[in-house]
Each structure stands twice: as C-alpha cells, then as structure tokens.
Amino acid sequence: MKYGERIASLREKHAMTQEELSNKLGITRASLSHYENNRRAPDYDTITNIAGFFNVSIDYLLGRTDDPHIVLDEEVREFVDSLELSDDNILEKFSLTIDGKKLTPEEAKRFIAFVRAERSINNG
C-alpha cells in the first residue's frame, strides 16, 4: 500500500474529512488530496506530523511495514532504502513488481537501462 492510501485510510478510519485533517496538520486541503492520491509526496516534516497525529510509525506510512507501531531496525531500513537494482543477487532474491505483476529478469534489466539512459540525458 502506498503512502497516499495509508493516509487516506487513517483519515477515514478516524471519520475525518480532508478539510478537517488538513486544518489539524496546518496544510491545504489540496496538498492533502495530492498526498492521498500519490500525486505528490509529503516532505519530511509533513510525514512526521501525519505519523504523530495518527500515532503510527513513519515506516508504516511509507509502506515499509504493515504494523502501524513497528519501526524497522536501522540496518533493515538502511538496506531497504538503498537496494541496488542492478545487483543480480537482488534481482534473484526479490520479486520486483509493476502493477502487481512480477518483472521478468529481462524486463528488470531493460528498466534499469531505461533509467540509466534517462539520467544520462538529464545530467549530460
């Protein structure tokens, strides 16, 4: 579940409108709508405020865990945050998916090649 779905779910669970929650968080209703629809990612302060307001972990909001009160061990979080997709061992051990369908090894390699090409164009 993406962060936006988690935020919307928590808001609905607490029977709040977007207007009510955005007022409590000190953000605009439009910003909250963008977050809930995954059109824009909340900044660190906002995600921290949302987690604090609902008394859940940031790891839960970001989808790193399905338990709202568990915080990932620092080493696990560091590992998850820095997976190197071009590492063949990672591709063998983990299931990479898009739209719920597992990428084949060839699709994963084409995806990596696409990202590299796009970066070279944008940074070149």
Side-chain angles (χ1 to χ4, degrees):
M1 185 180 286
K2 291 186 175 186
Y3 63 85
E5 294 162 331
R6 292 267 164 106
I7 296 167
S9 175
L10 286 165
R11 178 181 56 76
E12 291 165 2
K13 180 179 173 185
H14 287 81
M16 297 181 77
T17 65
Q18 285 185 336
E19 190 71 32
E20 290 169 327
L21 180 57
S22 63
N23 286 336
K24 297 274 187 191
L25 297 172
I27 61 175
T28 66
R29 192 212 51 80
S31 291
L32 179 59
S33 176
H34 285 301
Y35 303 151
E36 288 187 0
N37 290 295
N38 298 303
R39 288 190 299 258
R40 200 166 75 199
D43 62 22
Y44 178 79
D45 288 337
T46 302
I47 202 82
T48 301
N49 289 340
I50 294 169
F53 181 81
F54 289 118
N55 194 29
V56 298
S57 72
I58 292 172
D59 287 325
Y60 174 76
L61 281 181
L62 296 179
R64 293 173 171 157
T65 177
D66 288 330
D67 184 327
H69 304 292
I70 288 202
V71 176
L72 293 181
D73 176 88
E74 185 65 33
E75 288 182 14
V76 173
R77 185 181 312 129
E78 196 174 298
F79 171 75
V80 169
D81 286 344
S82 64
L83 284 177
E84 175 56 55
L85 294 182
S86 62
D87 182 340
D88 286 335
N89 291 328
I90 296 295
L91 292 175
E92 289 173 17
K93 291 180 182 178
F94 296 96
S95 174
L96 303 177
T97 62
I98 294 180
D99 299 329
K101 295 173 86 175
K102 185 177 178 181
L103 291 176
T104 66
E106 190 55 42
E107 287 173 325
K109 289 176 183 172
R110 286 197 318 259
F111 174 76
I112 293 165
F114 171 80
V115 170
R116 284 180 176 153
E118 188 175 74
R119 284 180 178 174
S120 70
I121 290 169
N122 292 332
N123 295 328

